[in-house]
Short mmCIF file of all heavy atoms in Angstrom, two decimals:
data_model
loop_
_atom_site.label_atom_id
_atom_site.label_comp_id
_atom_site.label_asym_id
_atom_site.label_seq_id
_atom_site.Cartn_x
_atom_site.Cartn_y
_atom_site.Cartn_z
N LEU A 11 112.88 42.00 72.60
CA LEU A 11 113.13 40.81 73.42
C LEU A 11 112.62 40.99 74.85
O LEU A 11 112.18 40.05 75.49
CB LEU A 11 114.63 40.49 73.44
CG LEU A 11 115.23 39.95 72.13
CD1 LEU A 11 116.74 39.86 72.23
CD2 LEU A 11 114.63 38.58 71.80
N LEU A 12 112.73 42.21 75.36
CA LEU A 12 112.38 42.44 76.75
C LEU A 12 110.89 42.69 76.96
O LEU A 12 110.35 42.43 78.02
CB LEU A 12 113.17 43.65 77.29
CG LEU A 12 114.69 43.43 77.45
CD1 LEU A 12 115.35 44.71 77.94
CD2 LEU A 12 114.97 42.29 78.41
N ILE A 13 110.21 43.20 75.94
CA ILE A 13 108.78 43.50 76.09
C ILE A 13 107.97 42.22 75.89
O ILE A 13 108.10 41.56 74.86
CB ILE A 13 108.32 44.56 75.07
CG1 ILE A 13 108.99 45.90 75.38
CG2 ILE A 13 106.80 44.72 75.10
CD1 ILE A 13 108.65 47.00 74.39
N PRO A 14 107.12 41.84 76.86
CA PRO A 14 106.32 40.63 76.69
C PRO A 14 105.27 40.82 75.61
O PRO A 14 104.92 41.94 75.25
CB PRO A 14 105.67 40.45 78.07
CG PRO A 14 105.63 41.83 78.66
CD PRO A 14 106.86 42.53 78.14
N ASN A 15 104.79 39.68 75.09
CA ASN A 15 103.74 39.78 74.08
C ASN A 15 102.42 40.17 74.73
O ASN A 15 102.29 40.22 75.95
CB ASN A 15 103.61 38.46 73.29
CG ASN A 15 103.22 37.29 74.17
OD1 ASN A 15 102.43 37.43 75.09
ND2 ASN A 15 103.79 36.12 73.90
N SER A 16 101.40 40.41 73.92
CA SER A 16 100.14 40.93 74.44
C SER A 16 99.47 39.96 75.40
O SER A 16 98.87 40.38 76.38
CB SER A 16 99.20 41.25 73.28
OG SER A 16 98.95 40.08 72.50
N ALA A 17 99.59 38.64 75.12
CA ALA A 17 98.97 37.65 76.00
C ALA A 17 99.60 37.71 77.38
O ALA A 17 98.91 37.63 78.41
CB ALA A 17 99.12 36.25 75.41
N GLU A 18 100.95 37.87 77.42
CA GLU A 18 101.64 37.95 78.70
C GLU A 18 101.24 39.21 79.45
O GLU A 18 101.11 39.21 80.67
CB GLU A 18 103.15 37.91 78.48
CG GLU A 18 103.64 36.54 77.99
CD GLU A 18 105.12 36.57 77.63
OE1 GLU A 18 105.58 37.66 77.21
OE2 GLU A 18 105.79 35.54 77.76
N ILE A 19 101.06 40.32 78.71
CA ILE A 19 100.65 41.57 79.35
C ILE A 19 99.28 41.42 79.97
O ILE A 19 99.05 41.81 81.12
CB ILE A 19 100.65 42.71 78.31
CG1 ILE A 19 102.08 43.02 77.85
CG2 ILE A 19 100.00 43.96 78.90
CD1 ILE A 19 102.15 44.04 76.73
N VAL A 20 98.34 40.81 79.24
CA VAL A 20 96.98 40.60 79.77
C VAL A 20 97.02 39.72 81.01
O VAL A 20 96.40 40.01 82.03
CB VAL A 20 96.08 39.97 78.68
CG1 VAL A 20 94.75 39.55 79.29
CG2 VAL A 20 95.86 40.97 77.55
N GLU A 21 97.82 38.62 80.92
CA GLU A 21 97.90 37.70 82.06
C GLU A 21 98.47 38.39 83.28
O GLU A 21 97.97 38.25 84.39
CB GLU A 21 98.76 36.48 81.69
CG GLU A 21 98.81 35.44 82.79
CD GLU A 21 99.65 34.24 82.39
OE1 GLU A 21 100.23 34.27 81.29
OE2 GLU A 21 99.74 33.30 83.19
N ALA A 22 99.55 39.16 83.08
CA ALA A 22 100.17 39.87 84.20
C ALA A 22 99.19 40.87 84.81
O ALA A 22 99.10 41.01 86.02
CB ALA A 22 101.43 40.58 83.73
N SER A 23 98.44 41.54 83.95
CA SER A 23 97.46 42.51 84.43
C SER A 23 96.37 41.83 85.26
O SER A 23 95.99 42.33 86.31
CB SER A 23 96.84 43.25 83.24
OG SER A 23 95.82 44.12 83.67
N GLU A 24 95.89 40.69 84.78
CA GLU A 24 94.85 39.96 85.52
C GLU A 24 95.36 39.52 86.88
O GLU A 24 94.68 39.66 87.89
CB GLU A 24 94.40 38.74 84.70
CG GLU A 24 93.58 39.09 83.48
CD GLU A 24 93.21 37.86 82.67
OE1 GLU A 24 93.79 36.79 82.94
OE2 GLU A 24 92.38 37.99 81.77
N HIS A 25 96.57 39.00 86.94
CA HIS A 25 97.13 38.55 88.21
C HIS A 25 97.39 39.73 89.13
O HIS A 25 97.25 39.61 90.34
CB HIS A 25 98.41 37.75 87.98
CG HIS A 25 98.15 36.36 87.49
ND1 HIS A 25 97.74 35.36 88.33
CD2 HIS A 25 98.23 35.81 86.26
CE1 HIS A 25 97.58 34.23 87.63
NE2 HIS A 25 97.88 34.49 86.37
N GLU A 26 97.78 40.85 88.55
CA GLU A 26 98.03 42.05 89.36
C GLU A 26 96.76 42.47 90.09
O GLU A 26 96.81 42.91 91.25
CB GLU A 26 98.54 43.18 88.46
CG GLU A 26 99.03 44.40 89.22
CD GLU A 26 100.29 44.11 90.02
OE1 GLU A 26 101.08 43.24 89.61
OE2 GLU A 26 100.47 44.75 91.08
N ASP A 27 95.62 42.31 89.44
CA ASP A 27 94.35 42.69 90.05
C ASP A 27 94.01 41.80 91.25
O ASP A 27 93.21 42.19 92.10
CB ASP A 27 93.22 42.59 89.03
CG ASP A 27 93.34 43.63 87.93
OD1 ASP A 27 94.08 44.61 88.16
OD2 ASP A 27 92.72 43.47 86.87
N ARG A 28 94.59 40.62 91.30
CA ARG A 28 94.26 39.69 92.37
C ARG A 28 94.99 40.00 93.68
O ARG A 28 94.56 39.57 94.75
CB ARG A 28 94.61 38.26 91.94
CG ARG A 28 93.78 37.73 90.80
CD ARG A 28 94.23 36.35 90.40
NE ARG A 28 93.47 35.81 89.28
CZ ARG A 28 93.69 34.63 88.71
NH1 ARG A 28 94.67 33.87 89.17
NH2 ARG A 28 92.94 34.24 87.70
N PHE A 29 96.09 40.70 93.61
CA PHE A 29 96.91 40.91 94.79
C PHE A 29 96.35 42.01 95.68
O PHE A 29 95.84 43.03 95.21
CB PHE A 29 98.35 41.26 94.38
CG PHE A 29 99.14 40.08 93.91
CD1 PHE A 29 99.16 39.74 92.56
CD2 PHE A 29 99.85 39.29 94.81
CE1 PHE A 29 99.89 38.65 92.12
CE2 PHE A 29 100.57 38.20 94.37
CZ PHE A 29 100.59 37.86 93.02
N GLY A 30 96.45 41.78 97.01
CA GLY A 30 96.05 42.79 97.98
C GLY A 30 94.91 42.36 98.87
O GLY A 30 94.28 41.32 98.67
N GLY A 31 94.65 43.16 99.87
CA GLY A 31 93.54 42.91 100.78
C GLY A 31 93.94 42.14 102.01
O GLY A 31 95.03 41.57 102.10
N THR A 32 93.03 42.12 102.97
CA THR A 32 93.22 41.40 104.23
C THR A 32 92.13 40.37 104.39
O THR A 32 90.94 40.70 104.24
CB THR A 32 93.21 42.36 105.43
OG1 THR A 32 94.32 43.26 105.33
CG2 THR A 32 93.30 41.59 106.74
N MET A 33 92.51 39.14 104.63
CA MET A 33 91.55 38.06 104.89
C MET A 33 91.32 37.98 106.39
O MET A 33 92.21 37.61 107.15
CB MET A 33 92.12 36.73 104.37
CG MET A 33 91.13 35.58 104.42
SD MET A 33 89.90 35.74 103.12
CE MET A 33 88.80 34.37 103.53
N ASN A 34 90.12 38.37 106.83
CA ASN A 34 89.76 38.33 108.24
C ASN A 34 88.97 37.06 108.54
O ASN A 34 87.91 36.83 107.96
CB ASN A 34 88.93 39.57 108.61
CG ASN A 34 89.76 40.84 108.55
OD1 ASN A 34 90.71 40.99 109.31
ND2 ASN A 34 89.41 41.74 107.65
#
């Protein structure tokens, strides 16, 4: 119940890659 399905894991991973950096 607590472990997300593979699609959710992929989506979370993709969004994780987007976070970070400084916009100058």
